[in-house]
Amino acid sequence: MADDTLSWKFRFIAIAAVLGVLGVIRLYTLEFGVFSNTIHAQMLVGLSILIGLVISGGLFYAFRARFLPLELHLPEFFSVLIFTIFLSPLLGSLLNRGLGRTEYHSFEFLTEKPYTSSTYGMMLHQRIQQQGYLLEVRDQGALRQFRYKSQAYYPLTKPGDPILLPMRVGIFGFRVLLLH
């Protein structure tokens, strides 16, 4: 009887862990579109990893007695290190965007053109289908490119015209375009 209860608990934990990993994978796939529309996304990812490593290093230091001798706890140490590196950009982006505020920012319009993409390249006689739109704007002298899928928002706008874009200014200061 005790073995049945124990195996049921392990099965439940295993199923919950698999569902958790699948949920994180799903969140990451949804967040890739956000990363491509985040201004200075590389800096956000780098700072998120750095802050995650500092926090996990602080926790390891605070609980260092639990992990002694270190040779016996290397798998746990590297597991936490790897999970921190992979999960902190997702958490940083979600926190930045989720706790931010929405504002309209002015940009200089350059172009809005349809784009196509294919995971494995184009086949010889494949019909090319539009995947979305690429918006190129100038922001204080810097060229910015944003991608969105739903519709062309500026079909009649001429290059050089000012446009207002809805941006989510996150708590860490990184701006994210809200067009989908």
Side-chain angles (χ1 to χ4, degrees):
M1 181 73 172
D3 290 335
D4 291 337
T5 306
L6 193 59
S7 70
W8 181 82
K9 288 179 184 179
F10 282 134
R11 285 184 188 151
F12 179 75
I13 291 171
I15 290 171
V18 168
L19 291 176
V21 168
L22 290 175
V24 168
I25 290 171
R26 178 70 178 146
L27 280 174
Y28 248 121
T29 58
L30 294 174
E31 204 67 20
F32 282 138
V34 173
F35 282 133
S36 67
N37 286 338
T38 301
I39 296 176
H40 302 299
Q42 298 90 347
M43 189 181 299
L44 173 65
V45 169
L47 285 174
S48 297
I49 290 173
L50 182 66
I51 291 170
L53 289 175
V54 167
I55 290 172
S56 62
L59 288 173
F60 269 119
Y61 184 75
F63 298 106
R64 63 186 175 274
R66 157 76 175 89
F67 295 103
L68 291 177
L70 185 60
E71 298 82 30
L72 297 178
H73 298 282
L74 283 178
E76 292 120 353
F77 176 78
F78 285 114
S79 296
V80 168
L81 187 71
I82 289 170
F83 279 116
T84 299
I85 290 171
F86 285 122
L87 295 180
S88 57
L90 175 65
L91 183 62
S93 179
L94 289 172
L95 282 175
N96 179 62
R97 197 179 72 236
L99 299 176
R101 64 189 184 286
T102 302
E103 299 176 351
Y104 284 89
H105 289 246
S106 178
F107 293 90
E108 177 187 345
F109 178 81
L110 297 176
T111 63
E112 180 182 52
K113 53 190 171 190
Y115 73 90
T116 184
S117 65
S118 177
T119 306
Y120 302 108
M122 297 294 182
M123 302 299 283
L124 184 58
H125 296 290
Q126 180 182 0
R127 185 172 159 225
I128 298 174
Q129 294 181 353
Q130 174 182 323
Q131 300 294 318
Y133 293 90
L134 177 68
L135 176 65
E136 292 181 349
V137 296
R138 193 174 312 280
D139 178 29
Q140 301 171 352
L143 177 68
R144 307 273 184 229
Q145 293 183 340
F146 301 111
R147 294 178 186 264
Y148 45 88
K149 296 187 181 275
S150 61
Q151 67 183 27
Y153 287 99
Y154 304 99
L156 302 176
T157 309
K158 295 178 178 63
D161 288 349
I163 58 172
L164 288 176
L165 293 176
M167 303 294 286
R168 184 82 173 177
V169 181
I171 61 169
F172 303 130
F174 296 97
R175 296 182 293 167
V176 181
L177 178 71
L178 293 180
L179 298 179
H180 298 288

